[in-house]
Amino acid sequence: MIRKIIHIDEEKCNGCGACAAACHEGAIGMINGKAKLMRDDYCDGLGDCLPACPTGAITFVEREAAAYDEAAVLKNKRENPQQEEKPLPCGCPGTQAKPIVHSGQYRDAGPASGETPSRLGQWPVQIKLLPVNAPYLSGAKLLIAADCTAYVYASFHEKFMKGRITLVGCPKLDNVDYSEKLTEILRNNDIQSVTVVRMEVPCCGGLEHAAKKALQDSGKFIPWQVVTISTDGRILD
């Protein structure tokens, strides 16, 4: 039968295993360091694996495939109960995308408690790890920040992170052009605005350039701004 089913681009797959952990049916396995659809009849076509993938390697296609077999999936779970509780790939929590809702003492933290509340709204935060289709990106205001800015600027959470989805990176340390990943995020989601926070050092220009290129390549008109922080913690512009 012709039906909707996932397709995994092995060239884009970085082998993190997040999709295999997210697949409740056990349809995805790791073979030679790459994610692979093991059985068509285990894939329900709902795509829980898509937002878990940090590289955008998983998409939907329509092709000839065996029908989803719920009975076979349940049988496999009974025979292999260890698959019910899958550990995070490599034991790394950075591969699990999730929104963060602050409650209790963290939500109420403030001057009275003597604590400064966290304004982080999601996990992960690294540009390289953040899935391009994460649900919390829908309607989001994006903060694209250089790693160092949060350490240098004392009021970073309140001034920049509050009310925004935070993406951080360092083009010098990662030695990568973020523009392609950022373009996919902008194209695939209803992003409301983009704020880039960079350091005054020259290498941070790579982050600003990647954000500008992504905005141009996305084909969308999105309000954006760039804020530069000095090495002694001042806003320069």
Side-chain angles (χ1 to χ4, degrees):
M1 63 179 295
I2 302 294
R3 72 178 183 94
K4 184 171 71 172
I5 195 167
I6 65 163
H7 169 73
I8 302 173
D9 185 335
E10 289 193 2
E11 291 188 4
K12 289 185 177 181
C13 176
N14 67 1
C16 72
C19 57
C23 180
H24 303 293
E25 289 72 34
I28 301 175
M30 302 302 296
I31 304 295
N32 297 325
K34 295 288 185 178
K36 183 177 179 62
L37 178 61
M38 307 302 290
R39 289 182 54 156
D40 288 358
D41 59 342
Y42 280 11
C43 178
D44 60 8
L46 297 179
D48 286 347
C49 54
L50 268 70
C53 178
T55 64
I58 305 176
T59 55
F60 278 124
V61 296
E62 288 194 4
R63 64 170 174 82
E64 183 72 31
Y68 172 60
D69 190 340
E70 184 178 10
V73 170
L74 294 175
K75 180 182 178 183
N76 180 56
K77 289 184 177 182
R78 288 194 300 269
E79 294 176 351
N80 301 279
Q82 70 275 12
Q83 293 185 5
E84 286 292 303
E85 298 183 2
K86 296 180 180 179
L88 290 172
C90 308
C92 176
T95 59
Q96 185 177 34
K98 62 179 180 180
I100 297 176
V101 179
H102 297 285
S103 59
Q105 66 180 44
Y106 296 102
R107 179 193 61 204
D108 301 328
S113 68
E115 295 185 17
T116 301
S118 170
R119 297 304 184 182
L120 183 63
Q122 95 291 339
W123 191 261
V125 296
Q126 288 289 337
I127 297 173
K128 291 174 66 176
L129 295 178
L130 192 117
V132 297
N133 294 311
Y136 47 69
L137 289 170
S138 178
K141 297 178 180 178
L142 285 191
L143 169 63
I144 304 172
D147 287 345
C148 299
T149 55
Y151 294 95
V152 175
Y153 190 73
S155 300
F156 190 81
H157 277 246
E158 290 297 323
K159 178 73 173 180
F160 298 114
M161 290 176 61
K162 186 177 181 180
R164 295 185 174 101
I165 293 299
T166 303
L167 291 74
V168 302
C170 176
K172 185 173 183 179
L173 295 180
D174 288 343
N175 193 28
V176 65
D177 180 2
Y178 298 121
S179 61
E180 183 176 348
K181 180 74 170 286
L182 293 174
T183 299
E184 290 303 306
I185 289 174
L186 297 176
R187 280 178 177 167
N188 295 330
N189 301 280
D190 180 25
I191 301 301
Q192 299 300 301
S193 65
V194 174
T195 298
V196 179
V197 182
R198 55 162 292 183
M199 296 296 299
E200 63 176 329
V201 295
C203 55
C204 261
L207 186 69
E208 180 178 345
H209 173 76
K212 288 181 178 179
K213 188 174 188 301
L215 285 161
Q216 294 172 349
D217 293 348
S218 71
K220 296 182 177 180
F221 177 78
I222 301 173
W224 65 284
Q225 63 173 326
V226 178
V227 179
T228 303
I229 307 293
S230 69
T231 54
D232 61 357
R234 296 174 294 112
I235 294 179
L236 297 178
D237 51 27

